[in-house]
Amino acid sequence: TDVSECPNLPFLDLSLATLSISNLGGLDPDGGPPLLYFTNIQSVSSYDIIDLEVTLLSEYSPGNISRNGITGPFGRISVAPNSATTLKFRFVNHTTGDDYFMEDFLFSVFDVDGKASVELRESVTIELGGAGLLSFTFVDEGGGKVSADDSKISFTGAAREVEVPLGVSNLNIEQQHHTLTIAISNTSAINVTLISASKGDTTTEAREFLFAGTSQLVD
């Protein structure tokens, strides 16, 4: 299903957001709640400001925790190689602190790549819970693989490294090959599993996952 048929859906926008808390897994020496908290990821009206809270649902093997947070228009999470981490992305009403139910919106992951020399591949699985998967889009000739059903969607990138994108709308063809955009309906949270796996466990290089709202794939 091609999400490009609905490019005008609302989407997360981290370009003007603030990283209020960066202590995923309680690993930051400065302490605080064990989570990432992004303030003002999307304003849906003059009154409603949405925040994003990211917490752990599994063990977390960190890559470089100082890299967690925001880079340009992206959220970024660093993980150790040969690890799997499941995170809960919860949307929060900034004023009340309550769950914020998003109706229809876009969510994208970028730079889901790998490394051919150690047969390393990154993958992302998005569990929708009670939400609905409206549609998704990716460039299928790029060597990545997508599987989807009513409850989740998984995207595995090709085992090659690509240049890290600087924006959501100026992706070169290789960057497009390693991007997935989905349209989701009616939820206040999604669970996201980040996996980095290589043959022989030979790499020590931290891996980074980027996320945002829209992407060039729906332009």
Side-chain angles (χ1 to χ4, degrees):
T1 306
D2 192 347
V3 76
S4 63
E5 297 173 1
C6 43
N8 296 319
L9 287 180
F11 55 85
L12 314 185
D13 184 357
L14 286 98
S15 61
L16 298 177
T18 301
L19 181 66
S20 302
I21 301 172
S22 181
N23 190 28
L24 189 62
L27 299 174
D28 191 294
D30 294 331
L35 50 85
L36 298 174
Y37 198 90
F38 303 86
T39 300
N40 190 21
I41 62 164
Q42 182 195 35
S43 294
V44 295
S45 73
S46 59
Y47 303 104
D48 293 333
I49 297 174
I50 304 172
D51 298 342
L52 173 65
E53 177 190 83
V54 179
T55 54
L56 290 175
L57 296 177
S58 71
E59 292 186 4
Y60 172 47
S61 297
N64 181 349
I65 60 171
S66 68
R67 303 277 290 174
N68 290 340
I70 300 173
T71 176
F74 304 106
R76 178 172 61 194
I77 296 175
S78 178
V79 303
N82 297 298
S83 68
T85 301
T86 299
L87 307 153
K88 181 178 181 178
F89 283 49
R90 181 174 79 97
F91 306 111
V92 182
N93 183 303
H94 178 78
T95 302
T96 66
D98 296 332
D99 292 350
Y100 192 99
F101 276 84
M102 305 280 281
E103 293 185 358
D104 300 341
F105 67 101
L106 298 177
F107 181 82
S108 300
V109 289
F110 302 79
D111 197 32
V112 184
D113 59 358
K115 194 170 185 177
S117 61
V118 291
E119 297 184 38
L120 182 145
R121 290 177 181 266
E122 296 174 350
S123 65
V124 178
T125 295
I126 301 167
E127 297 178 69
L128 302 170
L133 176 64
L134 297 177
S135 55
F136 65 89
T137 190
F138 76 111
V139 182
D140 58 7
E141 65 263 29
K145 297 180 180 179
V146 169
S147 61
D149 58 31
D150 291 339
S151 64
K152 66 180 181 297
I153 182 168
S154 297
F155 177 45
T156 300
R160 60 181 184 272
E161 287 190 288
V162 298
E163 184 181 0
V164 177
L166 298 178
V168 300
S169 299
N170 56 346
L171 306 175
N172 63 38
I173 188 62
E174 275 294 290
Q175 291 166 339
Q176 292 177 45
H177 289 167
H178 294 81
T179 298
L180 171 73
T181 297
I182 65 176
I184 307 173
S185 176
N186 192 30
T187 188
S188 64
I190 55 176
N191 296 340
V192 180
T193 298
L194 311 177
I195 298 175
S196 167
S198 64
K199 186 175 182 179
D201 296 344
T202 57
T203 184
T204 59
E205 180 183 355
R207 310 301 299 181
E208 294 181 349
F209 290 86
L210 302 179
F211 64 91
T214 190
S215 80
Q216 184 174 332
L217 301 186
V218 298
D219 287 349

